[in-house]
Amino acid sequence: MRLLVFALAGLVATGLIAATSSTAEAQGAQPFPGIPGDQRLPQEVRGTPRAPSSSPVETDPGLPQPILEPPPDAAQDPGGRDPGQRRVRRGPPQDGDLADPPGPAEPRDGDPAISQPGRTDDRIPDDIEAVTPPPIDPDGLFRSPGGFDIFQQIAEPEPMLDARPRRLYRFEPFAPVGIKAGKFVLFPEVEAGLAAYDNVFRTTSGRRSDAALELRPSVDVLSNWRTHALAFRLQGRTSFFAEYSSEDQRAALIEARGRLDIARRTNVEGLVSFQLDQETRSTLDSPAGARERSDIETRRAQLTLNHRFNRVSLQLRGALAAFSYGGVETPTVTDAGNDRDYVSREGTVRVSYEFKPTFSVFGETGLNRRIHERPGASDGILRDSSGERYRVGLSTGTSGQVLRGEVSLGYARQRPDDSRLQEISGVIIDANLAWRMSGLTSLLLSARSDVLETTQAGSPGGLSRALGIELRHAFRRHLIGTAGLTYTWQSYKGIQVDESDLTALVGAEYYLNRDVVLYSRLQHTWFDSTIQSRDYEATEARIGVRVRR
């Protein structure tokens, strides 16, 4: 009796296994429990189940039913065939064909293996159109990668001063969203903090320390248009020292810039600005013993024409700038320093050749004319001059996600009209380059060279060069640290004066949320001059909060 029960149970189990096998054979294998067939994959990449060679293929009649096989010479390809190098065989599989695994459905529009630019295959049959790489897009001059980006539409008449490389460098856990106002977006921001100084007057001896309350309000207004662009910036900076009110800062910037898209390959950019700032105590021309720092007013207007001839681009720039130094009171003079006012006119031609959107080479030539309002009080010489600038460099564009910006090497010359003053000339280096080393780290390289003006007796000015490197790293998503070094040196003609300063900076930013950031910065400066009485060291420390929208 027991044997009969076992026999019946075995027959029932065999029948169940056979029925299950037939069902699985008809419906397809189930690699993952609870997931029928290949429904875990998108329909476009699911393969058609293979049936045994003795039976026809059972598929949904509503789906395409091609079967893929390797090209005739695939057996000679030791590395296997590229999934993108396919051909379609229409017809049933042959007995014993085991080397051809289930393949994807017949290529259709949007299949990345077929539509990827640059993928070609001479083994694709004639009835399948091969995709060739598109030519350079001459009409994409104003198009932003990855969709519309309002910050990419900002007009930047001066490439070396473009703010977009710094935007890549200053990655943040949150991006400002702004406040929409019609066709414009407002980005308000205010910083409030405390600063401590151990050498307020930047002197070699008799160091004085002090603390100050600092406020930095600003607002950017950007147009939200598909063509053309308009932007306004209002920025202020003020400080209130606890003891030495003569060092209080009152700085402001009012700026308007725009871009007019005349045609797909041609646009005009413009900028008008007014800036008020105070001169630092360590400036060579700063009046000695002044009771307060001199105000510097800068008025600038600039116009730039851009035109693209496919891979070749032409840029014409013209700028007019007026620099005005407010007179200050010294123990001996009541209006010292007002003999430094001058006007600068500049014109530049740049030609670029683009190998690809993220790499191009350029060369530019610039001429300038500087006219002073009055002779220098120290020697009675009028310091009008004419200058030339020549640069060649590399540009990685302003939209790359790894490298962004440019670097150049050149030569500068400034010739005074008065033969009693020497000519200023030398090599110049300029850079504004950001490198996104990883998702957590970025590097910013900056360099700037120019000819300085001075009213020191017997000197026409000097050549100034500045080189800076700054590292930014995210220790946590909301905690970002920075560290940087900046080295600046000036060499004056006609007098034995060479000066340099090295500034080290470390800082941290903690993002409480999208709109509130806590920050801290520590900065130390070593200033060295051939005039020993001008050497000094100074340390500045800041903590504060930044609120933005």
Side-chain angles (χ1 to χ4, degrees):
M1 186 67 179
R2 188 174 296 177
L3 292 176
L4 181 60
V5 171
F6 285 150
L8 290 175
L11 289 174
V12 172
T14 303
L16 291 174
I17 293 173
T20 303
S21 300
S22 301
T23 304
E25 198 171 287
Q27 295 182 354
Q30 294 187 5
F32 297 96
I35 303 179
D38 275 346
Q39 293 182 11
R40 66 188 187 279
L41 299 176
Q43 178 64 39
E44 289 79 9
V45 297
R46 289 211 301 271
T48 303
R50 293 293 303 273
S53 58
S54 58
S55 62
V57 179
E58 299 180 12
T59 58
D60 186 345
L63 298 176
Q65 305 177 26
I67 299 174
L68 305 180
E69 69 171 3
D73 55 347
Q76 302 176 3
D77 185 3
R81 77 177 186 274
D82 183 348
Q85 299 173 346
R86 302 177 295 180
R87 64 188 303 171
V88 178
R89 177 167 61 84
R90 297 169 175 82
Q94 301 299 320
D95 292 342
D97 184 5
L98 303 178
D100 191 10
E106 186 171 5
R108 62 185 66 183
D109 291 343
D111 186 349
I114 295 297
S115 61
Q116 180 178 352
R119 293 293 297 271
T120 59
D121 186 6
D122 55 1
R123 295 177 294 181
I124 296 179
D126 295 337
D127 58 342
I128 298 181
E129 181 181 359
V131 178
T132 58
I136 186 171
D137 180 10
D139 300 330
L141 183 61
F142 314 119
R143 192 175 304 155
S144 302
F148 181 76
D149 181 0
I150 188 173
F151 288 99
Q152 287 290 344
Q153 305 302 314
I154 299 175
E156 295 287 357
E158 174 63 58
M160 189 57 68
L161 301 179
D162 199 315
R164 283 169 284 198
R166 184 169 288 273
R167 286 192 61 237
L168 176 66
Y169 160 76
R170 285 192 57 85
F171 66 92
E172 299 177 355
F174 303 106
V177 296
I179 302 172
K180 189 172 182 181
K183 290 297 184 178
F184 291 86
V185 181
L186 285 68
F187 295 91
E189 180 177 298
V190 61
E191 281 189 9
L194 297 174
Y197 303 82
D198 73 341
N199 191 356
V200 177
F201 298 102
R202 300 177 182 251
T203 57
T204 303
S205 59
R207 298 159 64 98
R208 297 289 187 269
S209 59
D210 202 354
L213 171 66
E214 296 183 337
L215 298 175
R216 293 182 175 87
S218 67
V219 60
D220 288 302
V221 182
L222 308 181
S223 63
N224 191 16
W225 308 334
R226 289 286 177 171
T227 58
H228 316 301
L230 190 61
F232 302 93
R233 170 172 294 180
L234 301 175
Q235 193 172 52
R237 189 168 67 252
T238 184
S239 62
F240 303 90
F241 277 80
E243 187 174 352
Y244 302 106
S245 59
S246 62
E247 306 309 298
D248 289 351
Q249 190 166 30
R250 301 291 184 266
L253 172 66
I254 303 174
E255 181 181 88
R257 60 177 68 201
R259 190 192 68 243
L260 178 63
D261 299 334
I262 299 175
R264 290 182 175 180
R265 302 187 185 186
T266 308
N267 71 0
V268 175
E269 296 176 298
L271 178 146
V272 178
S273 68
F274 170 81
Q275 185 172 0
L276 171 67
D277 211 335
Q278 280 77 47
E279 189 174 35
T280 61
R281 292 282 185 178
S282 60
T283 305
L284 182 62
D285 291 327
S286 178
R291 297 181 180 179
E292 58 186 12
R293 296 184 295 163
S294 175
D295 289 338
I296 304 176
E297 295 183 1
T298 304
R299 298 170 177 84
R300 181 180 297 274
Q302 186 166 338
L303 198 63
T304 300
L305 173 65
N306 299 292
H307 183 73
R308 183 167 181 168
F309 306 88
N310 203 357
R311 292 184 182 270
V312 178
S313 297
L314 176 66
Q315 183 182 75
L316 304 177
R317 301 197 306 266
L320 176 65
F323 302 89
S324 178
Y325 295 80
V328 294
E329 185 178 352
T330 68
T332 58
V333 182
T334 58
D335 196 17
N338 64 354
D339 58 340
R340 295 178 288 168
D341 299 354
Y342 73 97
V343 175
S344 175
R345 302 184 180 94
E346 301 177 4
T348 305
V349 178
R350 170 184 284 214
V351 178
S352 305
Y353 183 85
E354 181 182 283
F355 292 93
K356 56 181 181 179
T358 56
F359 180 75
S360 60
V361 296
F362 66 87
E364 71 173 41
T365 300
L367 302 176
N368 70 71
R369 177 68 178 166
R370 296 180 177 180
I371 301 179
H372 290 253
E373 292 188 6
R374 59 182 65 89
S378 60
D379 54 13
I381 299 178
L382 190 63
R383 284 168 166 76
D384 294 351
S385 64
S386 300
E388 306 163 17
R389 307 288 187 270
Y390 306 96
R391 293 184 177 91
V392 293
L394 306 175
S395 173
T396 59
T398 58
S399 59
Q401 297 305 310
V402 177
L403 277 175
R404 188 183 292 183
E406 67 181 46
V407 58
S408 68
L409 180 68
Y411 183 79
R413 181 168 56 184
Q414 198 76 24
R415 298 187 302 273
D417 293 349
D418 197 306
S419 60
R420 292 174 291 179
L421 300 176
Q422 300 181 26
E423 178 183 290
I424 305 171
S425 61
V427 175
I428 54 177
I429 302 173
D430 296 277
N432 181 20
L433 188 65
W435 175 25
R436 192 70 184 274
M437 303 170 65
S438 69
L440 301 177
T441 308
S442 63
L443 188 71
L444 179 67
L445 175 66
S446 58
R448 193 65 177 168
S449 304
D450 202 0
V451 175
L452 295 175
E453 295 289 319
T454 184
T455 55
Q456 295 295 308
S459 176
L463 191 61
S464 172
R465 303 181 182 92
L467 177 64
I469 185 170
E470 192 169 338
L471 186 70
R472 187 172 174 87
H473 179 75
F475 297 99
R476 293 290 187 271
R477 172 179 170 82
H478 298 85
L479 178 61
I480 300 179
T482 57
L485 287 173
T486 302
Y487 184 69
T488 305
W489 67 101
Q490 302 95 19
S491 179
Y492 291 88
K493 282 287 187 179
I495 54 177
Q496 298 298 318
V497 176
D498 294 317
E499 296 182 334
S500 65
D501 67 79
L502 176 65
T503 300
L505 170 70
V506 293
E509 296 174 337
Y510 184 79
Y511 290 79
L512 295 176
N513 51 48
R514 180 180 295 276
D515 300 328
V516 182
V517 185
L518 303 179
Y519 68 86
S520 63
R521 290 189 289 268
L522 180 65
Q523 176 180 307
H524 188 83
T525 301
W526 296 268
F527 186 85
D528 183 56
S529 174
T530 53
I531 305 175
Q532 294 184 358
S533 61
R534 287 176 51 78
D535 295 350
Y536 72 86
E537 290 188 31
T539 302
E540 303 174 12
R542 289 178 172 84
I543 58 171
V545 59
R546 181 187 310 126
V547 181
R548 65 181 186 178
R549 181 61 180 168

